[in-house]
Amino acid sequence: MPTRRTDDTLATYRAKRNFAKTPEPKAARGRRRKEPRFVIQQHDATAMHYDFRLEAGGVLKSWAVPRGPSTNPRDKRLAMPTEDHPMAYGSFEGVIPKGQYGAGPVIVWDAGTYRNLTERNGEEVPMEEALRRGHAKFWLEGHKLRGGWALTRTPVGGTAREKWLLVKLKDDEADARRNPVSTQPESVVSGRTIADMRRGGPA
Ligand code: MN
């Protein structure tokens, strides 16, 4: 059995944080909207990573992607599942204080809406079910990222932590020459980089 499931609830999110000390939002389940949202937060915690979050079932399903997303379909980016986050987390930028879970600066690196592309026998598979089954395809409409991506759980043995891969689909938006993680480091909300956030805290 994997040690951590992606059908987590917000209980884990709450348990890890002291809301008297961290500026992160308290956990509340959101209402389902017509256009589901995605967000990618760059987070310089113990190690730099990009938190990739997709709205499903009123929460943000979450993965930590060490190298960030690629626009090249040949790149398989490791994505480690993390606890569900509340919808309000999608607009969070700031500095998580020292000593708190995930201490370090956070910026909204990209955000937007997505369209579920997951199908089975020609029928759309709801996103929550797709993620439970370990494979989802979706079209992102962000500021930096546009096009189809897939998230796929990889088989792991024993008690190893669950691992997923985030891969760009081969479509007209695929581009092996682009590298937005390095060429577009700024927040789509504030224009600040992770270094700016570390230096100055929230704007
Ligand atoms: Mn993180």
Side-chain angles (χ1 to χ4, degrees):
M1 280 292 288
T3 52
R4 187 176 270 160
R5 298 292 312 251
T6 49
D7 57 356
D8 191 9
T9 67
L10 293 173
T12 309
Y13 176 88
R14 279 189 210 100
K16 288 181 176 216
R17 290 170 175 79
N18 178 348
F19 294 105
K21 293 191 175 158
T22 180
E24 296 165 287
K26 291 195 182 79
R29 199 166 266 268
R31 279 207 298 153
R32 186 189 288 269
R33 273 172 289 209
K34 248 210 188 96
E35 293 247 273
R37 307 200 64 83
F38 84 95
V39 63
I40 302 173
Q41 281 154 316
Q42 187 182 4
H43 182 190
D44 189 6
T46 319
M48 185 75 80
H49 60 275
Y50 293 77
D51 288 299
F52 186 86
R53 310 189 198 280
L54 285 177
E55 176 178 359
V59 297
L60 291 169
K61 295 285 173 189
S62 299
W63 293 258
V65 182
R67 298 185 62 193
S70 174
T71 53
N72 183 350
R74 297 174 69 157
D75 291 337
K76 293 179 170 62
R77 292 289 159 91
L78 176 66
M80 300 299 285
T82 59
E83 75 275 17
D84 294 350
H85 278 53
M87 287 305 302
Y89 207 94
S91 53
F92 172 73
E93 289 198 337
V95 181
I96 302 172
K98 246 190 177 157
Q100 298 303 299
Y101 176 69
V106 176
I107 61 163
V108 177
W109 182 79
D110 200 10
T113 58
Y114 78 84
R115 207 152 34 81
N116 183 6
L117 302 177
T118 322
E119 287 189 353
R120 214 163 165 253
N121 307 321
E123 303 254 318
E124 181 180 318
V125 180
M127 188 51 73
E128 283 176 275
E129 185 187 334
L131 294 175
R132 260 199 312 275
R133 290 176 178 275
H135 180 66
K137 285 184 185 175
F138 40 84
W139 181 277
L140 302 181
E141 285 286 348
H143 297 267
K144 297 173 186 172
L145 300 187
R146 182 161 202 276
W149 268 264
L151 263 171
T152 308
R153 187 165 53 213
T154 65
V156 284
T159 55
R161 259 189 83 184
E162 201 176 283
K163 285 180 184 156
W164 293 59
L165 294 172
L166 176 66
V167 183
K168 179 75 195 73
L169 298 178
K170 290 175 187 159
D171 56 34
D172 288 349
E173 302 294 335
D175 188 345
R177 290 157 308 174
R178 258 189 91 198
N179 188 2
V181 161
S182 60
T183 61
Q184 296 172 272
E186 70 291 336
S187 162
V188 295
V189 170
S190 64
R192 304 167 59 153
T193 64
I194 202 89
D196 295 336
M197 189 62 75
R198 180 183 284 293
R199 273 195 297 274

